[in-house]
Amino acid sequence: MQNFVDQLPALIGVLLGAVGTYSVTALTERKRWKRQLATRWDERRVVAYMEYAHSIKKTISICVKLASQRGVGAELNFLAPEYSDADLAAAEEDRTVSWEAVLLFGSDEAIAAARRWHEAVFRLELMATGQEADLSWDLAIKATSRARGEFYRVVKREIGMRETGASGTYDWQLSTFLGKLPGPSAAGSLPAAELRPELDRPGDA
């Protein structure tokens, strides 16, 4: 019994050491797990933003071509085959699917910016399908460009990428030229040759 009492401080020391080691190990593993989880969610968030931007770009491309087919703007036959309202409806359906991922993984600021971008594009959809919108074609194009730029600025800040700060960096390059095109109520249009240099530039749409 005396031997046990004599060894008790050592046993308590060993026990406390084991508890301390376990606690430190558990805390370290928990932090590592949280970092890994955060990294996975960050990756999913970036993918969600990219897929949403792609779906919006596809919708814009169809809107511009549909508007051209209805006499809004220049002849843009060299851009793509003719589209129908059904093509626009399908693109909008794809956008709504990608939008759910933005709602799930995106930050509040990015969600708000993405929503403003689509609200701007919705005006183009109205005019592309022969309906009236609350802005002219010119102003709707400019609003779309601004909303697009703000979305990319928000996303780049969120994922820690440095912004250049240069004016017009995130502007929609076609907006300068498409904004010159007449709205649905006008009959004239710009020659396609005046637009071709910018339209042929990859990645600007």
Side-chain angles (χ1 to χ4, degrees), residues 74-76 78 177 190-200:
E75 292 288 339
L76 302 177
F78 56 88
F177 296 88
L190 292 178
E194 294 185 19
L195 297 177
R196 188 179 297 274
E198 287 296 325
L199 292 173
D200 287 344

Side-chain angles (χ1 to χ4, degrees), residues 97-139:
V97 172
S98 61
W99 171 242
E100 295 303 316
V102 174
L103 288 176
L104 180 60
F105 298 112
S107 67
D108 290 348
E109 189 178 6
I111 290 171
R115 181 175 284 119
R116 287 192 295 269
W117 189 10
H118 177 67
E119 288 173 351
V121 174
F122 184 65
R123 296 189 183 97
L124 301 184
E125 293 184 45
L126 289 175
M127 286 182 277
T129 53
Q131 303 177 66
E132 294 185 358
D134 59 343
L135 294 178
S136 66
W137 178 259
D138 183 7
L139 293 179

Side-chain angles (χ1 to χ4, degrees), residues 47-63 87-102 114 117-118 121 125 151-152 205:
V47 170
Y49 293 159
M50 291 173 59
E51 291 181 347
Y52 186 75
H54 177 75
S55 68
I56 285 282
K57 180 175 180 178
K58 181 179 180 180
T59 302
I60 292 173
S61 297
I62 294 176
C63 284
D87 294 316
L88 181 57
E92 176 62 15
E93 178 65 22
D94 289 341
R95 185 205 66 82
T96 61
V97 172
S98 61
W99 171 242
E100 295 303 316
V102 174
W117 189 10
H118 177 67
V121 174
E125 293 184 45
F151 174 77
Y152 281 110

Side-chain angles (χ1 to χ4, degrees), residues 153-169:
R153 279 188 288 268
V154 167
V155 168
K156 290 188 75 170
R157 285 196 300 268
E158 182 176 318
I159 63 179
M161 293 183 65
R162 185 178 64 86
E163 296 181 58
T164 64
S167 177
T169 298

